[in-house]
């Protein structure tokens, strides 16, 4: 595109702009079209005044001509004036029609041009007829009236620039032709030229104003659209007041939120919408301060004046100052803070309280304990601290599912809160751990009584989803300032007391004692020594034989870790294995045992298997199959000779994938055994999916199984039947008596493991047993079982021949008890013994040696019921039974 074309287009744009401004061309924009219509409407609105002026001029002219006797002149005046008047009236009538209103404005302008020319010619001819009358004053009045009519018409038509030009041109051209005076033509030409220039300038300004108004309108529409979108999205609203503070604008959204019509709010003081004022980000100044000082403000928090609802706003505003510096009011915006404040309140609540139970959380309880202790003061207040741990909760959570576990925690929280009441503050630390802070509640008797009430209440059955659940509770208690002067000391000592309560059988409470630190130090020492032992190879592996019940030959050995401390001697696995699991050393120890066992088993003659225990932590390691494969390869041991013993706890890790792990291990070719069966949580469910080759029946079912009346035999039989159905072997663990061997054989167990066939032995003895002894095991142990006995110390009374004899119960089993200090009582005497207060058990004296007697119960006694009795020894009463 060259420069001439650009200039040409610019010239065309100017010509088009002039034509549009003159009303002779169609407008491109609605604003210019509206401008053309507005000009036409202005002319139409003033047109009746033109008609009235013409009518007045006609009446004056006719009256003057008639009185002057110029009847011919009056006739011509009537012809010219009447024609012009008729055209004007017709134009007025046409402007009232629908066709005129629907016509395009530039077409109306073009049609008005001949009308204007005709009227101009008619008025000039009309004026020519009046000239003869100017010799009189009346004639001059006629000429003045006609001139005023023409001027009025030109004034009306001036809005339509082209029409006014045509009207003026018609007058001058007709006048020049009529009078032949070229001076008139010259004056007219000059006037027309000037009017032409003025019209073009006005047309250009009109066009520019239309375009500016169009831009402004578009900008306003865009701003309004954005504001409407802003309000529609709920981001905020706007307001404006006059200088007196009365509302002159309010967003419809805010009026809707206030449930009041917008028009009702207009004129009301803006402050009438506010119930209470808050601070702002630019200081703590209130809204009232800013309004009174006419200063700008940002994010002032206020509460809305709304009934039955709490609404909070954040308001910003600035004063409106006009061009002369006068204050005209305020304009501003606002946003709804209600949800934000609710979220902040909820976040604050969650930061301080447990989301599940509603009790105070760990952080809030720490602050409460510090306040109760008065740690910021000079002296420490008397405070008792309870730390609680639920017994058997994990079993419920794992077997019934987390939703049931959560509901159980809610019910526990309600009971605990109800028992403590106003005595102190109750909180949940996490999981199944709770805490109670008791200010000024340090009386040992009252503290112990409250602990017993809590244990008793929390041990009552719970009903959840139609299922009855029973759990227990253990409590550790520390008292300030005796057991600690800071919150950290008190919590640590209460935790030690809780640990002691768990160690004492759970379901009890224990006060902190200084000796408990010794236990904690002992555990820490075990932890440190265990790390050293692992680095110095102080651990070794011992092997306990597993014997076939049909051939009495050794089919394998279980690898068991042992630790001989250089200074403290042998340390039980029960003492160091839990520590190794806690400090994550169990993976390193477990891998070492696995590799060592595979190396030793590869040297054994025959095909004896080696069983290695696998901890849940090892099992959860994705690299565990690679470790097993590496151990087998390095040792040269066939996979089928390695048996991995797993407990049911491997299923409890939510992040692990036991099914995939089982499949991977079975592809390697190793055997899998389920250890400690019956002591876990839902073994039957695990057996449906896990590909075990063997089930190991826990020794707790073997002990006492051969005793008459013991139910363990029935349980063992059920386990064996289940295993046979699933094509699994069974191993009876912990067999120590010969009658137990016979029992497990009769019940169908395929293998036996226990002291009866040998204790765990070093690798050298295994080689001898499999080599020289040909792998044949020989049972060595007591022939008969007897019921397990429990040592107790309870006072006892015996009534004989109307007298009482005092004694002491020394031990008790499911079948009988031994009592001392009653004197000589003949064997065969029937007695009633009160084992639990209020419950009598019929018994018979089986032996007597003057100082002691042994009694046999008529029916087996459940030793677990002793745990439900009071912690303090109860007095047992023996009475001679009549008959």
């Amino acid at each position: 595109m060259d420069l001439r074309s650009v200039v040409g287009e610019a010239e065309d744009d100017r010509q088009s702009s002039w034509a549009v401004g003159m009303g002779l061309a169609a407008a491109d924009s609605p604003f210019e079209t509206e401008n053309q219509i507005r000009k036409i409407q202005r002319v139409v609105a003033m047109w009746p005044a033109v008609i009235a002026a013409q009518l007045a001029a006609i009446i004056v002219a006719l009256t003057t001509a008639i009185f002057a006797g110029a009847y011919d002149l009056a006739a011509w005046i009537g012809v010219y004036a009447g024609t012009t008047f008729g055209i004007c009236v017709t134009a007025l009538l046409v402007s009232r029609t629908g066709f005129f209103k629907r016509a395009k404005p530039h077409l109306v302008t073009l049609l008005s041009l001949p009308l204007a020319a005709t009227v101009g010619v008619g008025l000039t001819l009309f004026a020519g007829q009046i000239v003869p009358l100017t010799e009189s004053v009346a004639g001059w009045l006629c000429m003045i009236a006609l001139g005023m009519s023409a001027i009025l018409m030109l004034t009306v038509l001036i809005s339509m620039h082209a029409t006014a030009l045509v009207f003026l041109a018609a007058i001058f051209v007709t006048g020049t032709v009529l009078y032949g005076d070229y001076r008139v033509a010259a004056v007219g030409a000059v006037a027309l030229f000037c009017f032409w220039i003025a019209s073009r300038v006005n047309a250009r300004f009109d066009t520019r104003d239309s375009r500016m108004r169009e831009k402004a309108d578009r900008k306003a529409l865009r701003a309004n659209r954005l504001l409407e979108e802003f309000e529609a999205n709920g981001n905020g609203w706007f307001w404006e007041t006059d200088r007196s503070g009365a509302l002159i604008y309010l967003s419809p959204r805010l009026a809707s939120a206030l449930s009041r019509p917008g028009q009702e709010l207009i004129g009301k003081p803006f402050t009438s919408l506010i119930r209470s004022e808050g601070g702002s980000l630019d200081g703590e100044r209130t809204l009232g301060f800013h309004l009174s000082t006419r200063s700008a403000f940002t994010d002032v928090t206020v509460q809305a004046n709304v009934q039955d609802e709490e609404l909070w706003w954040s308001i910003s505003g600035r004063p409106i100052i006009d061009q002369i510096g006068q204050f005209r009011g305020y304009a501003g915006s606002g946003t709804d803070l209600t949800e934000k404040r609710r979220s902040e309140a909820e976040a604050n609540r969650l930061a301080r309280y447990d989301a599940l139970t509603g009790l105070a959380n760990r952080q809030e309880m720490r602050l409460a304990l510090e306040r109760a202790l008065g740690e910021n003061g000079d002296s420490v207040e008397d405070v008792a601290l309870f730390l609680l741990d639920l017994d058997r909760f994990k079993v419920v959570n794992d077997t019934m599912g987390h939703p049931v576990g959560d509901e159980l925690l809610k019910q526990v929280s309600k009971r605990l809160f109800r028992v403590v009441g106003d005595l102190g503050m109750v909180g949940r630390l996490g999981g199944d751990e709770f805490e109670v802070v008791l200010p000024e509640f340090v009386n040992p008797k009252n503290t112990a009584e409250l602990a017993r009430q809590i244990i008793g209440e929390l041990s009552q059955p719970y009903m959840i989803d139609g299922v009855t659940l029973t759990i227990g509770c253990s409590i550790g208690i520390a008292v300030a300032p005796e057991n600690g002067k800071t919150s950290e000391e008190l919590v640590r000592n209460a935790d030690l007391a809780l640990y002691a309560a768990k160690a004492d059988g759970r379901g009890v409470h224990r006060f902190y004692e200084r000796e408990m630190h010794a236990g904690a130090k002992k555990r820490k020492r075990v932890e440190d020594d265990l790390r050293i032992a692992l680095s110095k190879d102080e651990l070794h592996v011992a092997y306990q034989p597993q014997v076939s019940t049909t051939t009495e030959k050794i089919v394998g050995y279980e690898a068991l870790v042992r630790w001989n401390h250089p200074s403290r001697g042998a340390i039980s696995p029960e003492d160091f294995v839990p520590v190794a699991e806690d400090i994550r050393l169990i993976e390193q120890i477990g891998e070492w045992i696995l590799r060592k066992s595979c190396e030793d088993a590869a040297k054994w003659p025959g095909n004896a298997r080696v069983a290695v225990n696998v901890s849940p932590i090892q099992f959860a390691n994705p690299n565990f199959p690679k470790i097993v494969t590496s151990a087998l390869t390095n040792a040269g041991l066939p996979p089928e000779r390695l048996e991995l013993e797993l407990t049911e706890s491997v299923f409890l890790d939510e992040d692990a994938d036991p099914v995939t792990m089982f499949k991977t291990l079975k592809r390697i070719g190793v055997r899998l055994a389920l250890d400690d069966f019956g002591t876990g949580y839902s073994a039957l469910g695990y057996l449906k999916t896990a590909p075990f080759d063997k089930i190991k029946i826990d020794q707790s079912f073997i002990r006492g199984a051969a005793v008459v009346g013991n139910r363990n035999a029935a349980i063992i039989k059920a386990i064996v039947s289940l295993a046979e159905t699933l094509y699994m072997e069974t191993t009876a663990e912990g067999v120590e008596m010969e009658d137990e061997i016979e029992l497990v054989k009769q019940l169908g167990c395929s293998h036996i493991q226990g002291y009866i066939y040998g204790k765990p032995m070093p690798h050298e003895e295994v080689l001898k047993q499999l080599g020289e002894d040909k792998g044949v095991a020989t049972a060595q142990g007591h022939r008969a079982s007897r019921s397990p006995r429990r040592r107790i110390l309870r006072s006892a009374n015996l009534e004989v021949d109307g007298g009482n004899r005092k004694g002491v119960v020394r031990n008790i089993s499911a079948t009988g008890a031994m009592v001392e200090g009653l004197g000589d009582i003949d064997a065969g005497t029937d007695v009633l013994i009160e084992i639990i207060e209020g419950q009598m058990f019929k018994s018979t004296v089986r032996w007597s040696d003057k100082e002691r007697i042994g009694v046999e119960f008529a029916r087996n006694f459940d030793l677990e019921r002793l745990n439900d009795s009071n912690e303090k020894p109860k007095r047992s009463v023996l009475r001679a039974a009549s008959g």
Side-chain angles (χ1 to χ4, degrees):
M1 182 179 294
D2 57 13
L3 182 59
R4 286 177 295 180
S5 62
V6 175
V7 174
E9 290 181 2
E11 185 65 26
D12 291 341
D13 288 341
R14 286 195 294 270
Q15 294 296 334
S16 174
S17 175
W18 170 82
V20 172
M22 296 291 289
L24 300 176
D28 294 332
S29 70
F31 290 92
E32 292 179 345
T33 302
E34 182 183 354
N35 189 37
Q36 291 177 349
I37 294 174
R38 189 163 54 250
K39 291 178 180 180
I40 294 172
Q41 290 175 344
R42 187 182 299 120
V43 172
V44 172
M46 297 176 65
W47 200 250
V50 171
I51 296 175
Q54 288 186 9
L55 181 61
I58 292 172
I59 293 173
V60 171
L62 288 175
T63 303
T64 303
I66 292 173
F67 277 106
Y71 296 105
D72 293 338
L73 183 60
W76 283 107
I77 290 174
V79 172
Y80 295 128
T83 301
T84 304
F85 181 76
I87 293 173
C88 292
V89 172
T90 302
L92 178 63
L93 296 176
V94 171
S95 68
R96 298 293 191 265
T97 64
F99 171 79
F100 178 86
K101 295 177 181 179
R102 290 192 300 271
K104 295 183 178 179
H106 74 282
L107 295 179
V108 174
T109 302
L110 291 175
L111 292 175
S112 67
L113 296 180
L115 173 65
T118 303
V119 173
V121 172
L123 289 179
T124 305
L125 294 176
F126 182 19
Q129 298 299 319
I130 298 177
V131 171
L133 299 176
T134 56
E135 295 178 355
S136 64
V137 176
W140 281 106
L141 291 175
C142 291
M143 187 60 72
I144 292 172
L146 184 59
M148 294 297 295
S149 175
I151 294 173
L152 178 60
M153 187 169 186
L154 181 61
T155 303
V156 171
L157 293 176
I158 200 169
S159 298
M160 300 171 65
H161 304 301
T163 306
L165 275 172
V166 170
F167 173 72
L168 192 59
I171 291 177
F172 284 117
V173 171
T174 304
T176 302
V177 174
L178 183 63
Y179 300 109
D181 190 345
Y182 293 97
R183 290 176 297 180
V184 175
V187 174
V190 173
L192 283 173
F193 178 75
C194 293
F195 198 82
W196 167 261
I197 296 299
S199 297
R200 291 200 62 168
V201 173
N202 285 333
R204 189 178 299 116
F205 274 105
D206 288 344
T207 302
R208 187 188 66 179
D209 291 343
S210 296
R211 292 179 178 175
M212 291 179 64
R213 195 167 76 255
E214 179 181 7
K215 291 181 180 179
D217 191 74
R218 287 179 180 175
K219 184 177 181 180
L221 287 175
R222 186 183 301 109
N224 289 336
R225 185 170 59 254
L226 292 175
L227 291 179
E228 290 174 359
E229 184 71 16
F230 182 80
E231 290 183 331
N233 290 334
N235 295 322
W237 39 268
F238 300 93
W239 57 276
E240 187 175 355
T241 67
D242 58 16
R243 63 184 303 161
S244 65
L247 287 167
I248 59 177
Y249 174 77
L250 194 65
S251 293
R253 181 177 185 84
L254 181 58
S256 176
L258 295 173
S259 301
R260 298 172 65 183
Q263 293 301 321
E264 179 182 326
L265 297 173
I266 300 300
K268 301 286 186 181
F270 178 64
T271 53
S272 66
L273 306 181
I274 310 302
R275 176 182 297 177
S276 62
E277 303 176 0
S280 63
L281 295 179
D282 57 348
E284 293 302 323
R285 296 172 178 174
T286 63
L287 177 63
F289 172 83
H290 290 291
L291 295 178
S292 62
T293 57
R294 297 179 179 178
S295 59
F297 53 90
T298 304
D299 295 334
V300 174
T301 301
V302 298
Q303 184 179 6
N305 188 16
V306 182
Q307 297 295 330
D308 303 327
E309 187 176 1
E310 184 176 352
L311 291 179
W312 290 90
W313 298 333
S314 175
I315 299 178
S316 300
R318 60 177 180 83
I320 303 174
I321 307 298
D322 60 16
Q323 296 179 349
I324 62 175
Q326 295 294 319
F327 173 73
R328 294 299 180 187
Y330 265 97
S333 61
T335 55
D336 194 329
L337 290 180
T338 306
E339 289 301 324
K340 181 180 179 181
R341 288 180 67 93
R342 289 175 182 171
S343 299
E344 290 176 349
E346 180 65 13
N348 183 55
R349 188 188 70 81
L350 292 176
R352 300 174 55 200
Y353 295 93
D354 177 57
L356 178 64
T357 63
L359 298 178
N361 61 13
R362 183 184 296 271
Q363 177 68 12
E364 187 67 13
M365 291 302 295
R366 181 183 65 82
L367 297 176
L369 180 57
E370 290 176 353
R371 290 193 297 267
L373 291 172
E375 291 188 0
N376 295 329
D378 297 332
S379 60
V380 177
E381 300 294 334
D382 294 338
V383 178
L385 175 66
F386 286 13
L387 288 184
L388 296 81
D389 187 85
L390 302 182
D391 303 330
R392 300 184 297 279
F393 172 77
K394 184 174 177 58
V395 177
V396 175
N397 203 41
D398 293 332
T399 58
M400 304 296 293
H402 291 290
V404 174
D406 291 345
E407 180 60 30
L408 180 58
L409 288 175
K410 293 178 183 179
Q411 294 192 22
V412 168
S413 301
K414 293 179 181 178
R415 292 188 184 185
L416 180 59
F417 188 82
R418 183 172 61 250
V419 173
V420 175
D422 297 333
L423 297 177
M425 186 172 182
V426 180
R428 179 188 176 214
L429 304 182
D432 59 347
E433 298 179 355
F434 295 82
E435 180 177 294
V436 180
V437 176
L438 301 165
E440 300 180 1
F441 194 81
V442 295
N443 182 286
K445 181 178 180 181
N446 295 338
T447 305
E449 179 60 28
L450 179 61
R452 284 191 289 269
Q453 290 179 10
I454 292 175
I455 294 173
E457 182 66 23
L458 299 189
S459 300
Q460 296 300 314
Y462 300 82
M463 179 64 70
I464 300 176
D465 293 338
V467 178
T468 302
L469 303 174
T470 303
I471 60 173
C473 172
S474 301
I475 302 178
I477 306 173
V479 177
E482 292 84 356
N483 303 147
K485 296 182 178 181
T486 66
S487 58
E488 290 79 7
E489 291 177 346
L490 208 62
V491 170
R492 181 192 63 204
N493 293 337
D495 192 54
L496 290 174
L498 176 60
Y499 185 82
K502 292 179 180 179
D504 288 349
R506 301 177 181 268
V508 297
H509 71 272
R510 291 291 180 264
F511 286 90
Y512 167 77
E513 298 176 0
R514 294 186 181 275
E515 292 76 11
M516 293 177 181
H517 270 298
K521 291 180 179 179
K522 179 181 178 181
R523 179 181 174 87
K524 183 63 170 61
R525 182 180 177 185
V526 170
E527 178 181 330
D528 295 338
D529 289 350
L530 184 59
R531 296 182 187 275
I532 298 174
L534 194 59
S535 64
K536 292 185 177 182
D537 294 330
E538 295 179 3
L539 302 179
H540 68 276
V541 179
Y543 300 94
Q544 187 173 29
Q546 297 174 337
V547 180
S548 170
T549 56
T550 56
T551 64
E552 291 192 347
K553 286 190 174 183
I554 299 172
V555 297
Y557 291 86
E558 180 180 1
L560 301 170
V561 63
R562 293 293 184 263
W563 180 16
N564 286 323
H565 194 278
S567 59
R568 291 189 288 154
I571 298 180
S572 171
E574 295 181 356
D575 293 333
F576 71 84
V577 170
V579 176
E581 291 179 341
D582 290 343
I583 63 177
R584 305 294 293 190
L585 276 181
I586 194 64
E587 285 189 274
Q588 185 177 352
I589 296 175
E591 182 177 349
W592 174 79
I593 296 173
L594 176 63
R595 294 185 181 276
K596 177 63 176 174
S597 301
C598 290
E599 292 174 1
D600 290 346
K603 301 174 184 177
W604 297 345
N607 296 318
R609 296 189 294 262
V610 61
V612 179
N613 291 281
V614 178
S615 75
I617 298 176
Q618 288 178 272
F619 187 80
N621 185 358
N623 294 322
F624 181 64
K626 296 181 181 179
I627 297 174
V628 173
T629 303
S630 175
L632 291 171
T633 303
N634 293 337
L637 182 71
E640 62 272 13
R641 290 185 58 191
L642 175 62
E643 187 171 83
L644 302 178
E645 295 191 0
L646 309 169
T647 61
E648 296 170 18
S649 56
V650 300
F651 296 91
L652 303 181
D653 188 351
E654 296 181 352
D655 297 327
D657 184 4
V659 176
T660 301
M661 181 65 74
F662 282 133
K663 291 181 179 179
T664 305
L665 293 174
K666 292 303 291 182
R667 281 197 295 267
I668 296 174
V670 300
R671 289 169 54 87
L672 300 177
L674 179 58
D675 197 11
D676 299 335
F677 183 81
T679 62
Y681 309 122
S682 59
L684 295 181
Y686 301 147
L687 293 178
K688 292 193 301 182
T689 57
F692 289 112
D693 300 284
K694 178 191 290 185
I695 296 177
K696 300 189 71 174
I697 303 173
D698 188 72
Q699 59 184 346
S700 61
F701 296 107
I702 304 301
R703 292 173 183 169
V707 177
V708 178
N710 193 289
R711 298 180 181 180
N712 287 356
I715 297 175
I716 296 172
K717 180 62 178 177
I719 296 174
V720 172
S721 299
L722 175 64
E724 291 177 349
T725 304
L726 298 175
Y727 304 101
M728 298 178 184
E729 299 175 353
T730 51
T731 296
E733 293 186 286
V735 177
E736 298 180 355
M737 304 292 177
E738 292 185 6
D739 58 353
E740 292 175 348
I741 295 179
E742 296 301 322
L743 176 66
V744 296
K745 285 183 178 180
Q746 294 175 6
L747 296 177
C749 289
S750 58
H751 299 89
I752 291 175
Q753 178 180 342
Y755 283 1
I756 191 72
Y757 283 120
K759 296 181 179 181
M761 62 189 69
H763 179 236
E764 292 75 14
E765 294 188 20
V766 173
L767 291 174
K768 178 182 177 182
Q769 195 173 45
L770 293 176
E772 297 178 5
D773 299 341
K774 307 299 182 180
V776 177
T778 303
Q780 296 180 355
H782 297 287
R783 294 189 55 82
S785 304
R786 67 174 186 174
S787 300
R789 279 161 168 69
R790 178 179 298 181
R791 294 183 180 276
I792 62 173
L793 184 64
R794 292 175 181 247
S795 61
N797 290 335
L798 181 66
E799 294 182 3
V800 178
D801 298 332
N804 291 334
R805 300 183 185 181
K806 295 185 179 297
V808 176
V809 178
R810 285 292 185 179
N811 62 45
I812 189 172
S813 69
T815 57
M818 183 184 73
V819 187
E820 294 181 349
L822 293 176
D824 189 12
I825 301 178
D826 295 336
T829 304
D830 293 332
V831 297
L832 292 175
I833 184 171
E834 187 179 20
I835 304 299
I836 299 175
E837 186 175 0
Q839 298 184 26
M840 308 299 296
F841 291 84
K842 188 176 182 180
S843 307
T844 302
V845 177
R846 291 303 181 191
W847 56 269
S848 174
D849 62 0
K850 296 184 180 180
E851 293 297 328
R852 300 179 300 172
I853 64 172
V855 296
E856 180 183 0
F857 301 140
R859 54 187 175 88
N860 284 355
F861 175 72
D862 186 1
L863 297 180
E864 294 297 327
R865 297 180 65 182
L866 292 176
N867 295 332
D868 299 329
S869 61
N870 196 299
E871 294 173 348
K872 295 181 179 180
K874 293 183 179 293
R875 183 172 56 89
S876 296
V877 180
L878 277 73
R879 295 181 300 172
S882 60

